[in-house]
Amino acid sequence: MNMPATKIEVETATPAGSAAPVVAMTPKRPPRSEAYARMARETAVRVIPPLVVIALLTLVWELVCRRAGSALPPPSRVFKDTKELILDPFFDHGGIDKGLFWHLSASLQRVAFGYSLSAIAGIALGVLVGQSIWAMRGLDPLFQVLRTIPPLAWLPLSLAAFRDGQPSAIFVIFITSIWPIIINTAVGIRNIPQDYRNVAAVVQLNPLEFFGKVMIPAAAPYIFTGLRIGIGLSWLAIVAAEMLIGGVGIGFFIWDAWNSSHISEIILALIYVGIVGFVLDRLIAGLGKIVTRGTATN
């Protein structure tokens, strides 16, 4: 049986009343190469499977769409048609003739503003509904009805109210993403253990201290679940809304490409939309993991 190597350190000081020196034995640290190898293995386990699946799907797509009469272009044709857009996403020729970076940037700015408003209002209303039985009885049925309205159904009403595409798109994002935040926050507040409430009463926490030290930390995993769902709905809503309001944005870029019969550009834009949506979800999930110390769903 092989014993792990250890490093022996002998202390020079001798305790009073003892004739023998104190010997401290500490385990030897593994070399950095082993740590790097372990990190490489963990990364490979996460990265290689999706890459293999993407490669297989791309191969199938290429084989299916290369046949004569196919309505969609194969990946090789998509890359050939959109090579300039891929290599130069930062060009700006004025008006709506811009690179994909500027379209995505405009969409992300709208999402950031609308989503921030929905996060603030959603958490506040969720705390109210979760903490007050009267607020839950009065507001929860209304929320359950409003959340079933499709996002684009709000767009004509918002255009009539704001008379401008920019605030209308932000409102659509807000009204689409707020419901999961409210519902998950309310569920988290209602599921706070009674022991936590009893301890807060014993130490005589005031309402503000109870909110900051007990309520929000205990409900944080539920809150971040709602925030993750909300960011996904926000990104879905802005792409759909921009197809109708026009201007600079990834949604309008897709609609303009359709009107120009540039199918390859539509496919490229959809790939970018998926990647950005994935990154946004990972950012919220990572923030939730940090705030909740790993208890939020990842």
Side-chain angles (χ1 to χ4, degrees):
M1 181 177 179
N2 295 328
M3 299 295 292
T6 57
K7 179 181 178 181
I8 301 177
E9 295 180 356
V10 180
E11 295 184 3
T12 56
T14 302
S18 176
V22 177
V23 179
M25 301 179 66
T26 58
K28 185 179 180 181
R29 293 183 179 179
R32 291 186 177 181
S33 59
E34 293 183 7
Y36 292 149
R38 185 174 63 255
M39 293 176 59
R41 287 194 298 267
E42 294 176 355
T43 303
V45 169
R46 293 178 177 269
V47 173
I48 291 179
L51 290 180
V52 172
V53 172
I54 292 173
L56 292 175
L57 292 177
T58 304
L59 178 61
V60 173
W61 176 16
E62 179 74 26
L63 295 176
V64 171
C65 294
R66 284 181 68 89
R67 297 181 302 175
S70 176
L72 296 177
S76 56
R77 176 69 180 277
V78 171
F79 178 76
K80 181 180 178 182
D81 293 343
T82 61
K83 185 177 180 180
E84 294 182 0
L85 287 173
I86 297 173
L87 298 179
D88 186 15
F90 301 101
F91 72 85
D92 186 354
H93 298 157
I96 61 173
D97 189 9
K98 301 177 185 292
L100 281 173
F101 171 82
W102 303 109
H103 288 285
L104 289 169
S105 177
S107 298
L108 285 172
Q109 289 177 23
R110 296 186 181 108
V111 167
F113 195 69
Y115 177 73
S116 298
L117 292 177
S118 69
I120 295 172
I123 293 174
L125 288 172
V127 170
L128 176 63
V129 172
Q131 188 70 8
S132 171
I133 187 65
W134 291 104
M136 182 184 68
R137 291 174 179 174
L139 295 176
D140 186 67
L142 179 63
F143 293 160
Q144 298 299 333
V145 171
L146 293 178
R147 74 183 184 88
T148 62
I149 299 176
L152 290 184
W154 293 100
L155 188 58
L157 185 64
S158 62
L159 286 171
F162 297 107
R163 300 182 181 276
D164 185 66
Q166 182 79 357
S168 299
I170 293 174
F171 174 78
V172 170
I173 295 169
F174 170 82
I175 203 68
T176 302
S177 60
I178 192 173
W179 310 120
I181 300 175
I182 293 175
I183 293 172
N184 281 274
T185 301
V187 171
I189 296 299
R190 288 197 294 267
N191 285 335
I192 294 177
Q194 186 60 39
D195 292 342
Y196 291 7
R197 300 180 184 274
N198 295 338
V199 171
V202 169
V203 299
Q204 298 181 350
L205 296 180
N206 59 47
L208 186 60
E209 291 174 335
F210 178 74
F211 175 80
K213 296 181 178 180
V214 177
M215 190 179 297
I216 293 300
Y222 295 89
I223 293 174
F224 275 95
T225 299
L227 291 175
R228 286 186 65 185
I229 299 174
I231 193 63
L233 293 177
S234 297
W235 191 236
L236 292 175
I238 190 57
V239 172
E242 287 176 344
M243 289 184 178
L244 301 180
I245 66 174
V248 179
I250 193 63
F252 176 75
F253 177 87
I254 293 173
W255 187 248
D256 185 60
W258 163 251
N259 291 330
S260 304
S261 299
H262 295 160
I263 304 301
S264 295
E265 293 184 1
I266 296 176
I267 295 175
L268 176 65
L270 291 178
I271 293 173
Y272 282 171
V273 167
I275 293 174
V276 172
F278 174 78
V279 171
L280 291 176
D281 178 78
R282 291 292 90 192
L283 287 175
I284 300 299
L287 180 61
K289 189 175 181 180
I290 294 173
V291 172
T292 63
R293 297 180 181 179
T295 58
T297 303
N298 199 357

